[in-house]
Amino acid sequence: MNPINCLFFIVFWFCINPPLVFANDIPELAAAQLKSVGDKIYQNETGSNPDHLIAWNNGEAFVSLGLGHFIWFPKDTDSPFTETFPSLLQYLQAQNVAIPTWLQQTQHCPWQTKQDFTGAKNSKQMQELSSLLASTFEHQVAFIYQRMRRSLPLMLAGVDNVKIQSVVTTRFQALAATELGMYSLIDYVNFKGEGISDSEKYNKQGWGLLQVLLNMQLDTQNQHFAFAQACDAMLTRRVKNSPQKQIEQNWLAGWRKRCGTYSNIN
């Protein structure tokens, strides 16, 4: 192959097979910026109340833990949602954080029902879990940030259409280039996921970050408002499609308030 044909082939290849975007293509956040994001997530998930670092919400079959309300399933739980607390534990251990022995030895939440959970409120296990969560805020925020940094290549890998890949990449990177957009991406991925899990869909329609990015209306709106509006729309659609609509309808007002923070950082 002569040099001209070789060059043409290379250009053509990358046009039809654009390279994935990796974590090192996303701007790094300084420690103070990460703390600011963590404070906002803590407010969003718990109202900044340490008593809510361990919660079992009505209508849910699992416990929610930490400033990001990471999901932890009891054994044999059938849920469409992505479990995240075991991954946090692995991350903490990789960072040489001391983990209570019982947490190292169990994969599943030890409380099978909300009644069991409530009855164990003053147990040693609950006290040790509370202490771990209250003392590892910095690590929890770093874990959430790491998930966001990995989300773009995961989303692109699940999309076949090159034009759609380009739209997702462009919108993601534009948001990641601003302080408000970075917070929005980090919070929403933790809040509602990447949007790539087949199980996290009602009526075959998801509500994660991928769906939000694809549904942003940018013709007459700035990107932050467009992102907030798309989040609102996807979560409203989720409730409309939900098999437990009456329960999720009660959460929608709080979800919408959270979406509003993506267009106003104050």
Side-chain angles (χ1 to χ4, degrees), residues 27-79:
E28 288 277 2
L29 289 185
Q33 292 173 304
L34 265 181
K35 183 182 184 305
S36 177
V37 169
D39 289 344
K40 293 179 178 65
I41 295 175
Y42 183 36
Q43 172 63 36
N44 291 339
E45 291 287 1
T46 72
S48 300
N49 186 339
D51 291 339
H52 297 162
L53 286 172
I54 303 176
W56 191 308
N57 297 321
N58 291 330
E60 294 181 339
F62 49 81
V63 66
S64 297
L65 302 171
L67 70 86
H69 269 190
F70 309 104
I71 292 174
W72 197 19
F73 293 144
K75 188 176 181 179
D76 298 326
T77 297
D78 182 16
S79 174

Side-chain angles (χ1 to χ4, degrees), residues 122-133:
N122 297 317
S123 67
K124 182 180 179 181
Q125 284 184 325
M126 195 75 78
Q127 292 172 1
E128 290 182 341
L129 181 59
S130 178
S131 177
L132 175 69
L133 295 171

Side-chain angles (χ1 to χ4, degrees), residues 29-261:
L29 289 185
Q33 292 173 304
L34 265 181
K35 183 182 184 305
S36 177
V37 169
D39 289 344
K40 293 179 178 65
I41 295 175
Y42 183 36
Q43 172 63 36
N44 291 339
E45 291 287 1
T46 72
S48 300
N49 186 339
D51 291 339
H52 297 162
L53 286 172
I54 303 176
W56 191 308
N57 297 321
N58 291 330
E60 294 181 339
F62 49 81
V63 66
S64 297
L65 302 171
L67 70 86
H69 269 190
F70 309 104
I71 292 174
W72 197 19
F73 293 144
K75 188 176 181 179
D76 298 326
T77 297
D78 182 16
S79 174
F81 307 121
T82 300
E83 187 178 36
T84 50
F85 183 66
S87 296
L88 172 65
L89 283 181
Q90 292 176 2
Y91 178 82
L92 292 176
Q93 289 178 296
Q95 301 300 311
N96 297 316
V97 174
I99 306 294
T101 302
W102 69 272
L103 275 174
Q104 299 177 41
Q105 297 174 343
T106 182
Q107 178 182 353
H108 305 290
C109 173
W111 308 291
Q112 195 67 31
T113 66
K114 184 173 182 178
Q115 184 177 5
D116 294 340
F117 167 80
T118 302
K121 184 176 181 180
N122 297 317
S123 67
K124 182 180 179 181
Q125 284 184 325
M126 195 75 78
Q127 292 172 1
E128 290 182 341
L129 181 59
S130 178
S131 177
L132 175 69
L133 295 171
S135 64
T136 56
F137 273 27
E138 183 177 337
H139 292 92
Q140 292 174 53
V141 177
F143 171 76
I144 296 171
Y145 179 45
Q146 182 185 80
R147 181 179 180 183
M148 185 281 292
R149 288 172 61 82
R150 293 174 174 173
S151 65
L152 183 54
L154 291 174
M155 290 187 292
L156 295 180
V159 175
D160 294 330
N161 187 292
V162 174
K163 291 183 178 179
I164 294 178
Q165 287 183 330
S166 178
V167 168
V168 172
T169 300
T170 299
R171 293 178 179 179
F172 184 100
Q173 291 182 327
L175 287 162
T178 71
E179 181 180 358
L180 177 55
M182 182 68 84
Y183 151 68
S184 303
L185 292 170
I186 296 170
D187 185 68
Y188 197 83
V189 167
N190 179 70
F191 178 34
K192 293 302 177 191
E194 297 88 352
I196 58 175
S197 172
D198 288 337
S199 69
E200 292 187 322
K201 294 179 180 179
Y202 296 155
N203 291 339
K204 298 182 179 180
Q205 293 182 313
W207 51 80
L209 180 60
L210 176 61
Q211 289 76 37
V212 170
L213 292 172
L214 290 175
N215 283 276
M216 291 173 65
Q217 303 298 315
L218 289 166
D219 293 341
T220 59
Q221 301 171 2
N222 72 64
Q223 64 173 349
H224 300 116
F225 186 75
F227 183 82
Q229 290 294 97
C231 291
D232 189 302
M234 293 303 96
L235 294 176
T236 300
R237 185 178 73 178
R238 165 180 162 158
V239 172
K240 181 179 179 181
N241 290 333
S242 175
Q244 50 174 7
K245 184 175 180 178
Q246 289 184 331
I247 293 175
E248 294 202 9
Q249 184 67 47
N250 294 328
W251 302 335
L252 188 55
W255 290 352
R256 285 175 167 164
K257 181 178 179 181
R258 185 168 185 163
C259 292
T261 67

